[in-house]
Every structure is written in structure tokens, then in C-alpha cells.
Amino acid sequence: MEMTPMTTGQHEKRSINATDLLFDIKNPRLVGEHLSEQADDIQIITNLAEGADIAELVISIEENTFVDFEPIVVIKELGNKFRVLEGNRRLAAIKLLQDEKLARQVVQVLKHSIQRPVRQAVLDSIKEIPAIIVTKEADAQSYIGFKHINGPHKWTSFAKAKFVTTWFKNGAGIDEIARKVGDRNKTVKDLIAGMLVLEQAEEEEIFDVQDRTKRGVFGFSHLYTALNRKEYKDYIGLKKDWTENLVTSPVSTGDVKKLKTVLQY
């Protein structure tokens, strides 16, 4: 299936000063989901770098300047600022090139030392960033979902699951989500089911994704694959057809300790 670019007919498209762009703290690519809304750029970029090759993009911009292949997608916030719904990796690269102090503070996780001074042509190219401005996040969901779930710029299974689960919790049906992101109904259902179980584990404080990711990228695909296997479902008390009627906290209170064992296995 070919990805259809987001239509701009009903959305404003213009260039925005890079200093007016804000990270989306709820972006699925950020590892875990418990960064506070007060998280600073160091924390956000550090988390983002866990699952995205920011250095690769920084190097590309250093060598070729910023190339406007496609606009970022933003939504207006207070104070004439714009939150980036699509393009947080690009925003991270831009901030690192513009802010030498910030780049020094994350150089260990970035694994790349930016050559200073940055060429003026590079700085000029990242001063104003082309953007599509949407009035509500739902306007961008289909485009972002297809691009990162079944399109050319795939997220990790964890990031995909976070995205579709949020969509599901906001009232979208499985069939609708699957159709809009160009994926199979079962795949979307499995992603949501796995994320609901993981979220329950974190709410019950028997598992912390942030702690697990310190030892490497969290293997979410192993979890949702296991939840399709009879022996795992039987062990934590899930019915054979439990994914047909997805609910929050799908594991019963009496089986939560067993869920902890599965997640720590």
C-alpha cells in the first residue's frame, strides 16, 4: 500500500522558527511513557536516542544542510509555541546543532561529537522549518500511524503499540485503526492487547519499563507474542479469546504476581 501524504487543503502550511518548536512529550518513540510534562530537552533527547538514530540525522544535516523532504506536523500551544506531533527526531537534531551546551550534555548517548563551529549554511537551513499546522491531533493520526506502523519509517513494536493504544482509548475501533494505518486487524489487536497488559503491570508497580530499558531496548515484541501462546495465557489467567473484548487491566488481581514473573522472565 502506498502512503498518501497528509493533505494540506484544510491545514495551514508555513515555516516556523525552530526556537518556537516544542517536543511532544507523549511521542510514542520516547522510551516509556512516564516522562513528566516538565522534562527538559536533555531528558527528552536522551530518551529519544534510545530508540532512534539521531546522530545519523545530525551528520546528514551537517554534510548536506537541512533538506525539506516533507514538513513536520505541529499543533499550536500557548505563547505562540508549536508542539511537534511528527518530526521529533528532526527537532532533536536541529536543537543539537543549534545549542552547543545541549549537545555536550548528551554526547555520550548521542555517540557523535558535532564539529564546531557549525557551518553557517547549516545554521541558516535550520532557522525556519516547514510545517503543517493542525487544529487537533486526530487530524494527523492516520498519516503518522501509517508512516510509522506500516510505512517507510517504521517505529519499534513498543512505539507502535503506544500509538495505537492511545488511539483505541480515545474511542477508535480496531477495524478503523487497522484500515487507517494499513495493517491487519489482528496485528493492531495484538499490539493493543500487549500494551494494555504492560500498562497494567506498571500501574500495579510490578514492572517498570524505564528500569528495564537501562539494560537495552525493551523487547515488547516478545511480550505480545507470548500473550498469544496458550501456556502464557493459561498461566496468567487470560481467556482463550480475551483479545476479542479488550479492556484495561485484563489480568485479574489474583494473577498479577504471575504477570510479574512473566515480565521478569
Side-chain angles (χ1 to χ4, degrees):
M1 183 183 294
E2 182 179 350
M3 182 173 70
T4 302
M6 185 173 168
T7 58
T8 60
Q10 57 184 341
H11 304 298
E12 181 184 0
K13 181 180 179 181
R14 65 180 172 89
S15 292
I16 298 174
N17 193 297
T19 59
D20 292 329
L21 297 173
L22 306 173
F23 284 115
D24 182 7
I25 196 65
K26 297 179 182 178
N27 183 277
R29 186 175 271 179
L30 293 175
V31 178
E33 58 178 0
H34 300 306
L35 282 180
S36 73
E37 293 186 4
Q38 287 72 45
D40 60 22
D41 286 353
I42 297 173
Q43 293 171 296
I44 293 171
I45 291 174
T46 298
N47 275 289
L48 188 58
E50 293 287 342
D53 193 346
I54 300 173
E56 179 183 52
L57 183 54
V58 168
I59 293 169
S60 175
I61 297 174
E62 283 181 301
E63 294 179 352
N64 307 301
T65 72
F66 185 82
V67 181
D68 177 22
F69 287 119
E70 61 178 325
I72 60 175
V73 181
V74 303
I75 189 167
K76 198 171 187 307
E77 297 286 330
L78 295 175
N80 205 35
K81 298 291 185 180
F82 296 86
R83 178 162 52 93
V84 177
L85 301 177
E86 167 59 18
N88 282 273
R89 177 170 169 259
R90 281 172 280 173
L91 178 57
I94 289 167
K95 284 179 175 287
L96 291 170
L97 287 163
Q98 291 179 327
D99 189 335
E100 183 175 358
K101 181 180 178 181
L102 175 63
R104 285 201 308 269
Q105 290 171 311
V106 298
V107 68
Q108 189 170 1
V109 68
L110 186 65
K111 298 177 182 177
H112 172 67
S113 181
I114 297 172
Q115 184 67 39
R116 305 288 177 178
V118 176
R119 290 188 298 125
Q120 190 59 46
V122 172
L123 294 176
D124 289 344
S125 74
I126 57 178
K127 189 177 295 182
E128 298 276 333
I129 307 301
I132 294 174
I133 304 172
V134 298
T135 55
K136 55 183 184 294
E137 291 188 40
D139 292 343
Q141 278 184 317
S142 297
Y143 169 75
I144 296 172
F146 186 93
K147 179 179 178 182
H148 292 297
I149 291 177
N150 206 33
H153 302 285
K154 291 183 175 64
W155 279 331
T156 63
S157 59
F158 181 85
K160 294 175 187 178
K162 284 189 65 177
F163 182 84
V164 295
T165 301
T166 298
W167 204 346
F168 175 73
K169 286 181 174 180
N170 287 336
I174 301 293
D175 290 339
E176 176 189 358
I177 297 171
R179 184 175 65 254
K180 289 185 175 180
V181 301
D183 214 332
R184 294 186 305 158
N185 178 296
K186 184 180 184 306
T187 301
V188 172
K189 190 180 295 183
D190 287 347
L191 289 170
I192 295 172
M195 184 54 65
L196 290 175
V197 169
L198 183 60
E199 288 179 343
Q200 179 182 1
E202 293 203 295
E203 288 169 6
E204 298 279 357
E205 298 183 348
I206 61 171
F207 189 78
D208 187 340
V209 172
Q210 292 285 1
D211 285 344
R212 187 64 176 266
T213 53
K214 291 174 184 175
R215 303 196 296 272
V217 177
F218 175 61
F220 179 77
S221 61
H222 299 301
L223 172 62
Y224 79 76
T225 299
L227 292 174
N228 272 313
R229 295 171 58 180
K230 182 179 184 300
E231 55 268 37
Y232 281 93
K233 288 190 286 187
D234 289 347
Y235 182 69
I236 59 176
L238 293 173
K239 295 180 180 179
K240 179 181 178 180
D241 59 350
W242 74 282
T243 59
E244 295 303 313
N245 184 28
L246 292 170
V247 295
T248 56
S249 300
V251 179
S252 67
T253 302
D255 289 312
V256 166
K257 287 185 178 179
K258 292 181 179 179
L259 174 59
K260 180 178 181 179
T261 300
V262 169
L263 289 168
Q264 293 178 334
Y265 186 72

